[in-house]
Amino acid sequence: MAAAVPGASRARATAALLLLLLLGCCGAALAGGPQDQAEQFFRSGHTNNWAVLVCTSRFWFNYRHVANTLSVYRSVKRLGIPDSHIVLMLADDMACNPRNPKPATVFSHKNMELNVYGDDVEVDYRSYEVTVENFLRVLTGRIPPSTPRSKRLLYCCSHGGNGFLKFQDSEEITNVELADAFEQMWQKRRYNELLFIIDTCQGASMYERFYSPNIMALASSQVGEDSL
Amino acid sequence: EELLLSPLPTGDVAATFQFRTRWDADLQRGSVSHYRLFPKALGRLVAALGVRELHLALTQGFWRTRYWGQPPLQAPAGAELWVWFQPTVTDVDKAWKELSNILSGIFCASLNFIDSTNTVIPTASFKPLGLANGTDHHLLRYAVLPREVVCTENLTPWKKLLPCGSKAGLAVLLKAERLFHSSYHSQAVHIRPVCRDASCLAVSWELRQTLTVVFDFFSSGQGKKDWSLFKMFSRTLTDTCPLASQSKVYVDISPKNKEKELLEVSPPPTSVHEAVVQGDKKTYAVYDLLSPSLFNTSRSLNVQLKWKRPQDSSEMPIPTLHAQRYVGGYGLQTGEICTLIYNTHPYRAFPVILLETVPWYLRLYVHTLTIITKGKENKPSYIHYQPAQDRRRPHLLEMLIQLPANSVTKITIQFERALLKWTEYPPDPNHGFYVGSSVLSALVPSVTAMKDMDVEQSPLFTSLFPSSDGSSYFVRLYTEPLLVNLPTPDFSMPYNVICLTCTVVAVCYGSFYNLLTRTFHVEEPSRGGLAKWLANVIRKFRGVPPL
């Protein structure tokens, strides 16, 4: 999992430079490159921030995926991105599910102290509307003209495998398709920087094929690891 | 704004909120640019798309008419949208599609799934509830989405349309955690044109937002049937909405069986109102939140009701008209839809219009339609049937049936299940497919005569449906939605077949290929090398024979 804390990376950059001097190797200062780029990512001054939060799992036993996505939604809202700039896609309704003993609530911890569903949640795509087609349409902007909602934090939480992400038990999206979608977004200048967070099993495989610039990707598991 | 609290015969409590905003402006003619209390989102929708009447309801649960009595306003499970367009609209279908998309954005609901496969054009039901010049039924569209879920994300935009939001007045009671922990929750938006005054020379636009919720205290372990506002909503009323011209709470304290003093409300009401509602004489305790005496003693108003004596549970009144619907048959090929309509009036017969919308994948056989009352066949005086077209239109069946007094009418129709294409199945096909509720519209004769009341003075819950005369009242009932299993293919079959076939091919063909092409060669042994020479040197020192 890649860490993205500016302080730590700066310290590591200095440590790497020192090491180079000691060894006397004349290799190019490669250690400075990626760390610098990561810092640049967080220091850019763009303020038109959007977030796309996707949970693609259906059924009650995937309550945790919806709870994760709603936790990120709450964090993103608390940190300043308004509802009009957040596209929230939840594939199933957990809060008002008949199996929920406390209706209209979704908790992300067994203490049940923080209701991440809250009172002012705005779900843009729900239940059967969360499909691969709608997801790619939201990313690339090819939505039909009568769509009421309108896109660069992308968080996906669901089940996945090596190279694909499962949508609602019936379809998949592969890492190649995702990479192509991001390239379309880059060509249409739909993003300046993109932070992609994926929370599935073998999530690191989803960003193996990215070839567009200015994307930072985080995954909760490496290839071969399960994320439960 | 108004809140009506009525205890139901089974011990549950029904709370109906109604918020009415009346705007004296003509939305159709001229460009209106200043919106004050009327929400701008809905006002612009009505003006831009040429809407004459709009009724949208989102419901979770089912109103059990048999046990709870006639509802003040019922809605079917899921989402229901019916709209009358102005005669000036040229392309009604295009306007309908745009309208459902815009509403799905405003209310965070999946109303964009409304398309031609679930929209029908009823001819006799759903007459306009507001002012209407002519009623060309081609300007009406009706759609039901029975699978739609209602949750906080639908309640929040509904609350934001209120003039005071959820910050003052009766809307402070609307908290999601309590409202969805209920047996029935229905929120609706009704927009219609009304007469501005008695002479009806000008038109005003009325927006009514209604929310009905039924709380289940008796069976949730509380034991007693006493309730209070705090127990129901975990909140009390603290002040009125400053923008409201009228803000009242009505509590139904009608005595049953002519016995007085069966229940007691506290704090004492500001007045008592008697009215004939839905054919019955009812008494209401009224709390007028705008009267200064109410909030004198304490800043909060917590209406409480206590039963003095335990109620006689055997005496449950049966409503005059109620219905039931279920699926009969067995297997995954054929089936039968049965509707039972009960008329419990002792001596009056009345007609009822039944509207059934069945999706195209249940192929109805209209020649098997039978209507039986008291053992004899009952021929409907009006039938309108529009057969379905695969993937384009659902079935529409409308009938006007005369119900004799004190009778049960059974309507059955057989159907066959179709096999869908594999891309048309939803992600969870084994759950089943929903068939929307059927609609029963009737003018039920009332036991007590109702006098014509001035619309402005009467409480809101009596003026939703226009009443033509005092001898009957209009009621619209919905039956249960049906859940039908269609023959579902095994979606894991392609994967399994590919695995099995590839394994068989690999094992058989691979072995065969090896057998045919593998040859054996003798290999020269290698001399060894440096390692072998070193090992032999050490062996010589040890006195062991060399390698």
Side-chain angles (χ1 to χ4, degrees):
Chain A
M1 206 165 115
V5 178
S9 59
R10 221 173 287 133
R12 220 177 289 138
T14 353
L17 279 169
L18 277 174
L19 210 62
L20 280 171
L21 284 170
L22 282 171
L23 282 179
C25 265
C26 61
L30 291 166
Q35 304 300 346
D36 265 350
Q37 278 176 348
E39 279 179 47
Q40 206 57 36
F41 200 87
F42 290 101
R43 271 200 251 116
S44 74
H46 297 114
T47 50
N48 182 12
N49 296 318
W50 286 70
V52 178
L53 309 171
V54 184
C55 165
T56 62
S57 307
R58 178 163 272 277
F59 305 123
W60 181 249
F61 58 84
N62 291 319
Y63 180 99
R64 61 191 194 280
H65 293 162
V66 173
N68 284 347
T69 313
L70 285 171
S71 310
V72 178
Y73 172 75
R74 288 279 155 218
S75 304
V76 161
K77 260 180 87 155
R78 186 171 49 92
L79 294 172
I81 301 185
D83 262 327
S84 54
H85 282 224
I86 303 181
V87 177
L88 178 63
M89 303 172 87
L90 297 179
D92 202 359
D93 170 56
M94 296 301 166
C96 292
N97 200 307
R99 282 166 127 161
N100 193 344
K102 292 183 180 226
T105 57
V106 173
F107 299 107
S108 59
H109 195 274
K110 68 172 193 268
N111 290 347
M112 295 203 281
E113 32 183 47
L114 179 62
N115 174 16
V116 290
Y117 200 62
D119 233 352
D120 58 344
V121 61
E122 186 187 294
V123 183
D124 299 294
Y125 288 85
R126 55 183 208 162
S127 160
Y128 297 127
E129 291 172 310
V130 178
T131 57
V132 175
E133 187 193 334
N134 280 347
F135 174 60
L136 291 177
R137 278 182 189 275
V138 164
L139 286 184
T140 55
R142 295 175 207 279
I143 42 186
S146 53
T147 310
R149 310 173 270 247
S150 54
K151 303 154 193 76
R152 278 131 229 157
L153 166 69
L154 179 60
Y155 173 83
C156 299
C157 180
S158 73
H159 290 288
N162 194 348
F164 69 91
L165 180 67
K166 186 170 84 153
F167 261 73
Q168 293 219 39
D169 256 359
S170 61
E171 11 177 48
E172 290 110 25
I173 185 172
T174 56
N175 48 8
V176 179
E177 282 176 12
L178 201 57
D180 287 341
F182 285 164
E183 178 62 18
Q184 276 191 48
M185 284 173 77
W186 175 252
Q187 303 233 347
K188 290 201 222 177
R189 293 285 175 270
R190 281 173 70 79
Y191 73 88
N192 288 108
E193 282 97 27
L194 191 92
L195 174 62
F196 173 65
I197 308 178
I198 182 151
D199 190 4
T200 70
C201 304
Q202 307 181 43
S205 62
M206 285 306 284
Y207 57 71
E208 276 167 358
R209 301 296 186 105
F210 288 171
Y211 55 94
S212 321
N214 285 358
I215 301 182
M216 175 176 281
L218 268 77
S220 64
S221 54
Q222 294 283 359
V223 176
E225 278 179 356
D226 277 343
S227 169
L228 294 164
Chain B
E1 55 178 23
E2 172 185 292
L3 165 60
L4 168 67
L5 295 160
S6 18
L8 300 171
T10 48
D12 310 298
V13 182
T16 307
F17 292 80
Q18 271 207 45
F19 301 89
R20 193 182 84 146
T21 306
R22 212 190 64 186
W23 193 27
D24 295 331
D26 200 353
L27 273 172
Q28 295 303 319
R29 233 172 309 148
S31 55
V32 183
S33 51
H34 182 63
Y35 290 86
R36 197 173 145 253
L37 296 180
F38 201 92
K40 183 173 176 181
L42 295 180
R44 289 188 54 180
L45 189 68
V46 167
L49 292 175
V51 167
R52 192 168 69 195
E53 253 186 62
L54 186 144
H55 301 266
L56 169 67
L58 291 164
T59 311
Q60 169 213 4
F62 180 67
W63 181 277
R64 303 196 198 140
T65 314
R66 168 76 179 78
Y67 300 103
W68 294 345
Q70 303 279 11
L73 181 69
Q74 194 187 359
E80 184 205 34
L81 176 64
W82 59 278
V83 176
W84 276 95
F85 286 94
Q86 297 280 354
T88 52
V89 174
T90 44
D91 193 350
V92 181
D93 287 320
K94 185 158 156 281
W96 171 250
K97 185 82 192 146
E98 270 195 54
L99 178 70
S100 47
N101 275 326
I102 295 175
L103 285 175
S104 88
I106 296 177
F107 291 101
C108 279
S110 313
L111 299 175
N112 45 334
F113 282 140
I114 292 179
D115 55 9
S116 63
T117 58
N118 44 31
T119 307
V120 289
I121 306 177
T123 53
S125 316
F126 296 107
K127 291 291 175 213
L129 293 177
L131 293 179
N133 277 339
T135 49
D136 177 13
H137 64 265
H138 290 291
L139 299 169
L140 168 67
R141 293 287 185 276
Y142 172 77
V144 168
L145 292 173
R147 192 75 202 269
E148 194 60 27
V149 172
V150 187
C151 209
T152 317
E153 68 250 22
N154 306 113
L155 182 65
T156 308
W158 188 93
K159 283 198 284 191
K160 286 188 184 159
L161 295 174
L162 298 172
C164 277
S166 57
K167 298 193 173 56
L170 294 174
V172 295
L173 297 175
L174 301 173
K175 289 295 164 199
E177 296 96 40
R178 302 298 304 165
L179 285 181
F180 290 104
H181 203 41
S182 55
S183 319
Y184 175 80
H185 171 99
S186 170
Q187 59 193 58
V189 171
H190 306 274
I191 302 179
R192 60 179 180 173
V194 293
C195 288
R196 202 172 288 192
D197 45 28
S199 58
C200 216
L201 291 166
V203 163
S204 307
W205 284 86
E206 181 193 77
L207 164 70
R208 267 188 209 234
Q209 290 180 251
T210 62
L211 194 142
T212 308
V213 62
V214 175
F215 290 106
D216 187 9
F217 287 120
F218 197 50
S219 58
S220 62
Q222 306 284 334
K224 289 182 287 203
K225 290 199 253 176
D226 304 336
W227 51 263
S228 69
L229 274 185
F230 187 74
K231 238 175 148 189
M232 286 198 286
F233 301 104
S234 70
R235 244 156 216 89
T236 56
L237 293 166
T238 46
D239 53 9
T240 59
C241 174
L243 301 166
S245 56
Q246 214 185 61
S247 186
K248 292 195 176 146
V249 178
Y250 290 86
V251 183
D252 186 354
I253 51 173
S254 317
K256 301 198 182 8
N257 308 329
K258 310 284 188 292
E259 280 183 33
K260 307 259 160 125
E261 302 301 324
L262 197 63
L263 42 77
E264 175 200 350
V265 274
S266 66
T270 48
S271 61
V272 174
H273 178 87
E274 285 196 7
V276 179
V277 171
Q278 290 184 338
D280 273 332
K281 206 161 152 57
K282 291 210 165 107
T283 316
Y284 297 96
V286 183
Y287 294 86
D288 190 351
L289 295 178
L290 289 172
S291 76
S293 59
L294 204 64
F295 288 116
N296 261 353
T297 43
S298 70
R299 286 298 305 162
S300 81
L301 171 67
N302 184 18
V303 177
Q304 285 173 320
L305 187 134
K306 285 194 182 33
W307 293 94
K308 294 245 184 82
R309 236 175 302 151
Q311 244 193 337
D312 215 354
S313 55
S314 57
E315 265 295 328
M316 274 210 287
I318 303 182
T320 317
L321 174 69
H322 61 278
Q324 204 186 346
R325 191 171 70 150
Y326 54 90
V327 174
Y330 59 92
L332 283 176
Q333 191 171 3
T334 53
E336 186 179 71
I337 299 181
C338 308
T339 312
L340 293 169
I341 309 182
Y342 299 82
N343 175 6
T344 55
H345 202 282
Y347 50 86
R348 292 280 299 270
F350 55 88
V352 72
I353 300 180
L354 174 69
L355 171 80
E356 285 216 26
T357 312
V358 180
W360 64 266
Y361 40 81
L362 298 183
R363 303 186 206 271
L364 293 181
Y365 290 118
V366 186
H367 72 279
T368 57
L369 174 69
T370 53
I371 308 175
I372 297 183
T373 312
K374 289 182 176 170
K376 284 184 305 195
E377 209 199 305
N378 186 350
K379 255 181 102 65
S381 36
Y382 170 77
I383 293 190
H384 172 75
Y385 175 64
Q386 201 183 38
Q389 279 181 341
D390 273 10
R391 299 176 183 85
R392 255 189 266 158
R393 221 170 50 188
H395 296 278
L396 171 68
L397 180 60
E398 259 186 295
M399 295 186 286
L400 178 67
I401 305 168
Q402 189 76 11
L403 301 177
N406 214 5
S407 65
V408 179
T409 306
K410 183 168 179 182
I411 303 155
T412 54
I413 183 166
Q414 289 181 7
F415 65 85
E416 190 187 61
R417 298 166 215 235
L419 192 63
L420 299 177
K421 296 183 185 168
W422 74 286
T423 47
E424 290 172 350
Y425 286 95
D428 53 350
N430 291 302
H431 179 86
F433 290 76
Y434 282 92
V435 178
S437 314
S438 18
V439 190
L440 290 152
S441 321
L443 277 172
V444 180
S446 58
V447 174
T448 327
M450 300 185 292
K451 35 182 212 312
D452 225 2
M453 281 183 296
D454 186 16
V455 177
E456 296 300 315
Q457 304 300 325
S458 56
L460 289 175
F461 56 87
T462 53
S463 60
L464 186 59
F465 293 116
S467 54
S468 48
D469 54 34
S471 62
S472 56
Y473 59 94
F474 178 76
V475 81
R476 189 176 282 139
L477 285 184
Y478 295 86
T479 60
E480 295 93 332
L482 301 174
L483 186 59
V484 171
N485 264 330
L486 287 187
T488 311
D490 181 4
F491 291 102
S492 61
M493 189 275 282
Y495 169 75
N496 291 340
V497 164
I498 292 172
C499 282
L500 194 66
T501 316
C502 291
T503 311
V504 166
V505 164
V507 167
C508 293
Y509 174 72
S511 330
F512 201 59
Y513 178 80
N514 269 340
L515 210 63
L516 290 177
T517 55
R518 190 159 40 193
T519 55
F520 294 95
H521 298 278
V522 178
E523 220 182 60
E524 303 269 317
S526 61
R527 289 279 165 81
L530 183 67
K532 195 168 168 196
W533 179 79
L534 271 175
N536 281 338
V537 163
I538 296 169
R539 285 184 110 114
K540 207 159 44 166
F541 280 129
R542 281 169 67 196
V544 172
L547 288 170

